[in-house]
Amino acid sequence: MIPTLTGRTDNPDRLIRGLVELGWTVREEGDRLIAISPAGQQVEANRETGELRITGRGEGTAARALVKLAVKLGAEVELEGLTFEDRRPLVYGPVPSRRLGTSLGIDLPRGVCTHDCEYCSVGVSRRVSPHKRFTVDPITVREELSETLRRCDPDAVTFAGVGEPTLCANLREIAEEIRPLVEGVGAEMVLLTNSTWVSECADVVDVAVASLDCAREDLYRTINRPHPNMSLEDLVEELGRCDPGDVVVEVLLCRVGRVTNADPDHLKELAGLLGSIGLERVQLNTVARPPARGRAEPVSREELLSARRTLELCGLDVSVYE
């Protein structure tokens, strides 16, 4: 069944013609105007009734482009089934970052993640299987980023947001599409990921910061609360496919009740696990913002520094962000 959204507009001619400026192709069939995006989504508008029909894979992306265009043109659009997530901008910020300076975020997952971490400060809407993937129109991302960059000068443009960016099956294509914009303002392109599909795109960004908080399956399931189809072995294998020069491993230390990943024996296991796949660069931190719905608590500064010494003695190159 072809994905479909339906709705209505008060100005079909103006709206459809506006899509031409965004690179869509338009044809007329009687009272119908039909616009087709570069990614293959189709918007059909009835000139007489104002009825709208959006079809094709990634129809939510086309819907967001249509709503954004309507605001710009002063037209009204109502779409059935268009959620708040669909209406939210893809690009947000800039926001201050302990690691990256001033960061402009790109929110591709929009609430979808393979984990539901105890320490997550944003909270995901849905925890999904790693095989539940989606695509986003690269042109839409480029246009929204271009518009945002006119009013800010970030140190980094970061694939992050609410959820897991690598669930976006065409993330690599999007990164290549926006590369000239990012380089044009002298910013770094960064990926923040829980490592689900990091090997697919670590080499297309300037820095891939990939999480691996645990070396034991029981700890992983307690702290990161993955989808049942995920395992610690999956993440380690995925990280092992990356070029070590492309990845920095982020380790967040915390407590969940009586459970912690900060004890020295576990940290030595984690160092051994990273060493076995050739990864040596580590960013170490702890809970900095209140979890959205988790129970994680930060470890102390002394514990962070002690963890750093333990990992360094195991041969890792460790940075600490307090």
Side-chain angles (χ1 to χ4, degrees):
M1 184 175 179
I2 299 175
T4 303
L5 285 172
T6 58
R8 187 178 299 274
T9 180
D10 66 337
N11 199 330
D13 280 279
R14 189 175 186 188
L15 193 63
I16 296 297
R17 297 303 176 194
L19 291 175
V20 175
E21 298 179 14
L22 300 181
W24 295 48
T25 58
V26 174
R27 71 176 189 269
E28 298 183 28
E29 293 184 2
D31 291 335
R32 296 186 305 156
L33 291 170
I34 301 172
I36 301 175
S37 78
Q41 300 101 346
Q42 179 173 299
V43 175
E44 180 181 319
N46 188 300
R47 280 175 155 163
E48 296 297 320
T49 65
E51 291 179 351
L52 290 171
R53 182 181 178 86
I54 304 173
T55 57
R57 186 178 180 184
E59 79 283 3
T61 300
R64 288 191 293 271
L66 204 62
V67 170
K68 183 178 177 182
L69 178 63
V71 172
K72 181 179 178 181
L73 296 176
E76 293 184 8
V77 167
E78 294 180 3
L79 292 171
E80 297 174 9
L82 189 65
T83 66
F84 171 76
E85 297 294 337
D86 293 319
R87 296 175 184 273
R88 215 171 61 195
L90 286 163
V91 179
Y92 63 94
V95 295
S97 167
R98 289 180 294 171
R99 294 171 291 185
L100 305 173
T102 302
S103 175
L104 199 60
I106 299 177
D107 183 9
L108 300 177
R110 310 169 81 76
V112 178
C113 193
T114 50
H115 289 171
D116 186 14
C117 296
E118 288 278 5
Y119 55 75
C120 181
S121 63
V122 293
V124 297
S125 303
R126 285 187 299 145
R127 188 184 62 174
V128 299
S129 163
H131 303 292
K132 185 74 173 179
R133 307 188 74 179
F134 59 88
T135 59
V136 176
D137 182 11
I139 305 301
T140 301
V141 179
R142 186 195 68 199
E143 289 172 347
E144 196 166 316
L145 179 61
S146 178
E147 183 177 323
T148 306
L149 287 173
R150 293 192 187 105
R151 53 180 172 80
C152 67
D153 185 19
D155 299 308
V157 174
T158 307
F159 291 106
V162 183
E164 174 48 35
T166 66
L167 283 172
C168 180
N170 65 330
L171 176 56
R172 187 180 191 88
E173 181 185 359
I174 294 169
E176 291 170 345
E177 181 69 33
I178 68 170
R179 169 65 67 183
L181 291 176
V182 178
E183 292 181 346
V185 297
E188 279 192 314
M189 191 187 303
V190 180
L191 169 65
L192 301 184
T193 172
N194 68 13
S195 304
T196 298
W197 297 111
V198 62
S199 71
E200 293 184 355
C201 43
D203 65 333
V204 80
V205 295
D206 296 312
V207 183
V209 181
S211 293
L212 188 68
D213 302 317
C214 306
R216 302 171 187 162
E217 184 71 26
D218 59 336
L219 276 181
Y220 171 58
R221 307 213 79 82
T222 298
I223 292 174
N224 299 116
R225 299 190 297 193
H227 186 274
N229 289 351
M230 292 281 289
S231 70
L232 179 62
E233 183 180 1
D234 293 332
L235 293 190
V236 174
E237 288 181 356
E238 184 65 18
L239 284 165
R241 296 185 186 102
C242 298
D243 185 316
D246 294 331
V247 175
V248 178
V249 178
E250 179 182 36
V251 179
L252 188 141
L253 301 180
C254 65
R255 282 192 176 79
V256 179
R258 296 184 178 182
V259 174
T260 183
N261 59 344
D263 71 83
D265 287 341
H266 172 257
L267 291 171
K268 290 174 184 176
E269 288 181 45
L270 185 60
L273 191 60
L274 292 175
S276 71
I277 54 177
L279 298 179
E280 298 180 350
R281 293 185 296 163
V282 172
Q283 290 184 355
L284 199 60
N285 59 22
T286 189
V287 181
R289 303 181 184 89
R293 54 172 178 261
R295 300 170 293 149
E297 297 179 347
V299 299
S300 68
R301 183 174 186 273
E302 290 71 23
E303 287 173 297
L304 266 180
L305 296 180
S306 175
R308 178 181 185 169
R309 288 192 293 272
T310 298
L311 293 175
E312 286 179 335
L313 286 172
C314 293
L316 300 183
D317 178 8
V318 185
S319 302
V320 174
Y321 292 87
E322 302 179 50

